[in-house]
Amino acid sequence: MVKLNKIYTRTGDAGTTGLVDGSRLPKYASRMQAVGDVDEANSAIGLAILAIGKATEADWLTVIQNDLFDLGADLATPIPEGEDEPWALRILASQVQRLEEQIDAMNESLAPLDSFILPGGSPAAAAVHLARAVTRRAERSATAAAAEAALNPQALAYLNRLSDLLFVLARRLNGNGADDVKWVPGASR
């Protein structure tokens, strides 16, 4: 369990931050960009939970918020070459599978799309769409970091699946798609 006695440590004042293994990276490093973007996605999901209110969907998102803390720890833990690391907190295939099962269950009651949709509809759906867009950015950052250093492939899959889940959830919150705002190409010309 994490215990924080002091919030500031001054160890990052020179522009570096510590990883789980004790090594340090510049705060602008792509790995740290990914960690920060995951944190921002988590915050956006927190706002979506408030917009949804007390509902099953909010409970799902609370579980996802916890997963995103795990994912941030995963990204902040370098993968040692050729070492077994049973101590490391990593995203598991079962967590990705849970998202897939939720997507499939929600998608059963949705009409197929016949147009792209605009991020909006209800306040709850709009908040979820914002969280989806931030999650997509986190995914882009994580894949950029993975091009520089080994990252857990399940962490990348989780972010990809999460953005899909948030898209489907936004449609669910828009009356199972009935209140989606459809894109009309060239409508404002």
Side-chain angles (χ1 to χ4, degrees), residues 17 34 42 53 71 75 100 131 136-137 141 144 146 161 171 178 189:
T17 193
N42 204 341
L71 198 148
L75 295 175
E100 290 173 353
R136 283 279 190 221
R137 179 166 14 102
S141 296
R161 229 55 98 250
R171 295 198 67 219
R189 290 183 173 180

Side-chain angles (χ1 to χ4, degrees), residues 94-185:
S94 60
Q95 290 169 289
V96 176
Q97 183 179 352
R98 185 186 72 240
L99 296 181
E100 290 173 353
E101 290 168 0
Q102 288 177 310
I103 292 166
D104 291 344
M106 284 189 291
N107 218 21
E108 285 180 8
S109 62
L110 296 176
L113 285 171
D114 57 6
S115 173
F116 287 108
I117 59 172
L118 302 178
S122 69
V128 171
H129 275 299
L130 177 61
R132 175 192 50 78
V134 177
T135 299
R136 283 279 190 221
R137 179 166 14 102
E139 181 186 10
R140 290 190 302 274
S141 296
T143 57
E148 297 176 10
L151 294 180
N152 175 9
Q154 293 303 322
L156 301 177
Y158 188 94
L159 286 169
N160 186 273
R161 229 55 98 250
L162 176 56
S163 60
D164 294 338
L165 180 140
L166 293 170
F167 177 78
V168 174
L169 177 57
R171 295 198 67 219
R172 175 184 171 114
L173 294 169
N174 272 341
N176 283 329
D179 299 327
D180 285 339
V181 181
K182 293 184 178 182
W183 173 50
V184 180

